[in-house]
């Protein structure tokens, strides 16, 4: 596993066209790359491959989602969208 990121972790893009967008790590390729999804434009079927240098941890890991991804259980795009939406709403409230 990558030392910097974990499955189910919320991350924010800090470089590229999608700067400022939140994603969830759905797969770890190697030490330099992870695959992220937002459930909308980047769905679980075709996640976005991002360099870890271009991502910033948001300080939140969804434990239930992490277990589902680790065990290969079916995760829906709607679940990903809801988790991100709730996180962003909570961030704006603080």
């Amino acid at each position: 596993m990558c030392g910097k990121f974990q499955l189910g972790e919320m991350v924010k893009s800090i470089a590229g066209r999608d700067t400022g967008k939140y994603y969830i790590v759905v797969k770890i390729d190697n030490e330099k790359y992870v695959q992220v999804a937002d459930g909308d434009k980047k769905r679980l079927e075709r996640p976005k491959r991002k360099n870890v240098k271009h991502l910033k941890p948001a300080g939140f890991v969804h434990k239930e989602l992490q277990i589902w991804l680790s065990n290969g259980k079916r995760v829906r795009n709607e679940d990903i969208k809801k988790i991100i939406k709730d996180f962003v709403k909570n961030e704006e409230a603080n």
Side-chain angles (χ1 to χ4, degrees):
M1 231 198 228
C2 179
K4 193 170 183 180
F5 295 103
Q6 340 174 21
L7 290 176
E9 183 171 7
M10 183 79 60
V11 294
K12 186 176 187 178
S13 176
I14 56 172
R17 267 186 250 167
D18 59 350
T19 300
K21 190 157 177 59
Y22 285 97
Y23 294 103
I24 290 183
V25 176
V26 294
K27 185 176 179 194
I28 297 171
D29 288 344
N30 55 40
E31 290 295 316
K32 289 189 176 185
Y33 292 97
V34 295
Q35 292 184 21
V36 295
D38 66 0
D40 186 29
K41 298 233 188 270
K42 290 298 171 188
R43 299 170 69 80
L44 287 164
E45 299 83 38
R46 291 203 55 178
K48 182 176 185 75
R49 188 170 188 240
K50 290 283 280 184
N51 188 322
V52 296
K53 289 192 274 183
H54 300 160
L55 295 172
K56 176 180 147 190
F60 171 72
V61 178
H62 193 276
K63 294 296 183 187
E64 189 175 8
L65 184 63
Q66 184 180 43
I67 292 167
W68 292 348
L69 291 168
S70 299
N71 294 335
K73 286 196 175 185
R74 184 172 167 259
V75 179
R76 301 177 316 155
N77 287 304
E78 292 79 23
D79 297 331
I80 299 283
K81 272 197 277 193
K82 182 172 180 352
I83 292 166
I84 293 173
K85 182 181 172 188
D86 291 346
F87 178 79
V88 171
K89 191 163 135 185
N90 190 28
E91 282 292 301
E92 290 172 356
N94 291 336

